[in-house]
Amino acid sequence: MADDAEVEQAAVAAGDGAQPPALSKSARKKLQKQERQAERKAARKAAEKERRRADVDRRRREWEEALAAAPSDEARAEMVAARRETRRERVGRRAEERGARAERLRRAAEGAGQKVVLDLEFADLMRPNEIHSLTQQIMYCYAVNGRSANPAHLWLTGCSGEMATHLQRIPGYDKWIIEKAAKPYLEAFEDRKENLVYLTADAETVLDDLDMSKIYIIGGLVDRNRWKGVTLKKAAEQGIQSAKLPIGNYLKMSSSQVLTVNQVFEIMLKFVETRDWKTAFFHVIPQRKRGEAEAGDDEAKVSLEDNDDAAEGAGDGNLSEEYLEKLSHDEVDDDGDEELEDEETDMSNKRQCVRRQDAGPGDQDHSGAVAEATPAGDATPQAEQAKESNDGVED
């Protein structure tokens, strides 16, 4: 706690340009570690951006070379038309996938899904960057729930104040198929209090199975372990059941069993799918957190030192923007094709204009093939894809 306060004061002073206060040895080490993590994160982000840019450039070159190598205008026209048709089909498939996802979520809300509540009543205990991290984890929960074949009936309770403000900033949040309640879960489920089970690593009861009649609560708290035991205390004071995931039965822990919100939620989804805790743990908990498996033992050691590490896409609790964008927009390996759409058409038309200027009267009809293959009306798939990208996390 003292080290955290010192590091935070030093960070504030550095941001203001003031002389930072003298730090203890342990606080200096912690600050240096945070700075190294920030540098690595920035480097990863820059490298990923460059990789994506290079990938777009490569595919652009390949397409230009393929067009240039086409034996005739008719062949080029066929290539452009085929590419447009492929995109049109892809947009159609994505629309079908969105519809199927929405239907699965609706069925889950009607009773087919395991009820899971994200308790968002802890905003007053978190710093702004921690609320931001929690918002990202909630985005991940919704996205992975939509992709699941057996989604949960997901609730957000205590969704008010600063927490609600952050969530409202998520593109497409108003379209989420999810239960949103400003009131706490005790009021939302006042007639089913006996079915409430708060999942907390501090509980004594170990969860052996998931009961469809129960409503499992995950504490929405990102605090780097400053508020130890707060969720168990809350459950005890409210007189509701508490339990913890059976991590210790399958993984040998070197530290705390506290997980992030998205990790706990995805473990539950995976267990519903497989009915196997070990499979769920090994599927969700990152390899770097599990450590090396012991010789002659199927179990593995894990080190989960704080509850602000993401299962995928980040190492400090902040899921990478690129990863969240992929989840939100259902992107696949053809990212960047949209940027090539106009360029390939423009390039074909420019070639056509040059040929028309050089062609004789008898060649005009022959050269019109490309123009006929790329009418303005074929821009519809582009518009659909642009809308799809701008809608954020969709239904």
Side-chain angles (χ1 to χ4, degrees), residues 142-205:
Y142 181 74
V144 77
N145 196 42
R147 288 171 177 246
S148 173
N150 301 290
H153 182 189
L154 189 58
W155 286 69
L156 302 180
T157 63
C159 189
S160 60
E162 190 173 359
M163 194 70 243
T165 300
H166 275 73
L167 290 171
Q168 287 292 343
R169 293 173 185 163
I170 300 173
Y173 174 71
D174 58 327
K175 299 179 181 179
W176 283 14
I177 302 178
I178 191 172
E179 307 287 353
K180 306 166 190 172
K183 56 189 176 183
Y185 55 81
L186 275 184
E187 294 181 22
F189 300 99
E190 58 183 349
D191 58 338
R192 287 177 281 179
K193 182 178 178 181
E194 69 279 3
N195 290 331
L196 296 175
V197 180
Y198 213 116
L199 297 180
T200 169
D202 299 308
E204 294 184 2
T205 303

Side-chain angles (χ1 to χ4, degrees), residues 206 244-253 257-259 267 281 285 302 304:
V206 177
K244 62 183 177 182
L245 299 179
I247 298 175
N249 295 348
Y250 301 92
L251 302 174
K252 290 191 176 179
M253 311 297 290
Q257 295 187 12
V258 177
L259 301 172
I267 285 170
F281 293 140
I285 299 175
V302 295
L304 301 168

Side-chain angles (χ1 to χ4, degrees), residues 55 59 90 94 331-338 385:
D55 193 46
R59 280 176 286 153
R90 184 170 63 243
R94 287 180 177 177
E331 290 182 347
V332 291
D333 291 340
D334 56 9
D335 297 340
D337 277 353
E338 295 83 356
Q385 284 185 315

Side-chain angles (χ1 to χ4, degrees), residues 104-105 107-108 112-114 144-153 265 268-270 272-274:
R104 290 196 301 271
L105 291 172
R107 285 201 306 269
Q114 177 71 64
V144 77
N145 196 42
R147 288 171 177 246
S148 173
N150 301 290
H153 182 189
F265 181 71
M268 295 176 73
L269 285 181
K270 197 65 180 177
V272 169
E273 175 189 338
T274 64

Side-chain angles (χ1 to χ4, degrees), residues 66-270:
L67 277 181
S72 65
D73 291 338
E74 288 85 352
R76 273 184 286 274
E78 290 175 2
M79 290 171 62
V80 171
R83 192 174 179 89
R84 287 182 179 278
E85 181 59 28
T86 298
R87 289 202 181 97
R88 188 177 292 109
E89 292 174 355
R90 184 170 63 243
V91 169
R93 286 196 301 271
R94 287 180 177 177
E96 291 177 2
E97 290 167 2
R98 286 198 302 273
R101 181 169 65 240
E103 180 59 28
R104 290 196 301 271
L105 291 172
R106 290 191 184 97
R107 285 201 306 269
E110 291 168 359
Q114 177 71 64
K115 289 183 176 60
V116 179
V117 173
L118 303 187
D119 174 17
L120 306 183
E121 297 180 54
F122 298 105
D124 59 326
L125 302 182
M126 291 185 285
R127 299 162 180 158
N129 65 310
E130 293 168 341
I131 293 178
H132 175 70
S133 292
L134 177 58
T135 303
Q136 289 185 313
Q137 293 178 27
I138 293 169
M139 288 172 64
Y140 182 93
C141 289
Y142 181 74
V144 77
N145 196 42
R147 288 171 177 246
S148 173
N150 301 290
H153 182 189
L154 189 58
W155 286 69
L156 302 180
T157 63
C159 189
S160 60
E162 190 173 359
M163 194 70 243
T165 300
H166 275 73
L167 290 171
Q168 287 292 343
R169 293 173 185 163
I170 300 173
Y173 174 71
D174 58 327
K175 299 179 181 179
W176 283 14
I177 302 178
I178 191 172
E179 307 287 353
K180 306 166 190 172
K183 56 189 176 183
Y185 55 81
L186 275 184
E187 294 181 22
F189 300 99
E190 58 183 349
D191 58 338
R192 287 177 281 179
K193 182 178 178 181
E194 69 279 3
N195 290 331
L196 296 175
V197 180
Y198 213 116
L199 297 180
T200 169
D202 299 308
E204 294 184 2
T205 303
V206 177
L207 198 65
D208 295 323
D209 198 359
L210 293 180
D211 185 342
M212 286 294 292
S213 68
K214 300 296 184 181
I215 302 166
Y216 296 99
I217 304 167
I218 302 173
L221 178 61
V222 176
D223 66 338
R224 296 192 179 277
N225 288 338
R226 291 194 312 279
W227 301 100
K228 292 180 182 295
V230 68
T231 51
L232 179 62
K233 180 181 178 182
K234 181 178 182 178
E237 290 176 349
Q238 293 178 340
I240 65 175
Q241 303 171 64
S242 62
K244 62 183 177 182
L245 299 179
I247 298 175
N249 295 348
Y250 301 92
L251 302 174
K252 290 191 176 179
M253 311 297 290
S254 63
S255 180
S256 169
Q257 295 187 12
V258 177
L259 301 172
T260 60
V261 171
N262 56 283
Q263 285 174 334
V264 175
F265 181 71
E266 191 173 5
I267 285 170
M268 295 176 73
L269 285 181
K270 197 65 180 177

Side-chain angles (χ1 to χ4, degrees), residues 281-323:
F281 293 140
F282 275 72
H283 175 79
V284 176
I285 299 175
Q287 175 64 42
R288 60 187 170 79
K289 288 298 186 182
R290 296 200 305 267
E292 297 295 329
E294 289 190 339
D297 193 345
D298 289 336
E299 298 174 344
K301 295 179 181 179
V302 295
S303 175
L304 301 168
E305 296 180 352
D306 59 57
N307 65 337
D308 199 23
D309 287 330
E312 295 285 352
D316 63 354
N318 291 305
L319 295 159
S320 72
E321 294 177 7
E322 294 84 358
Y323 185 64

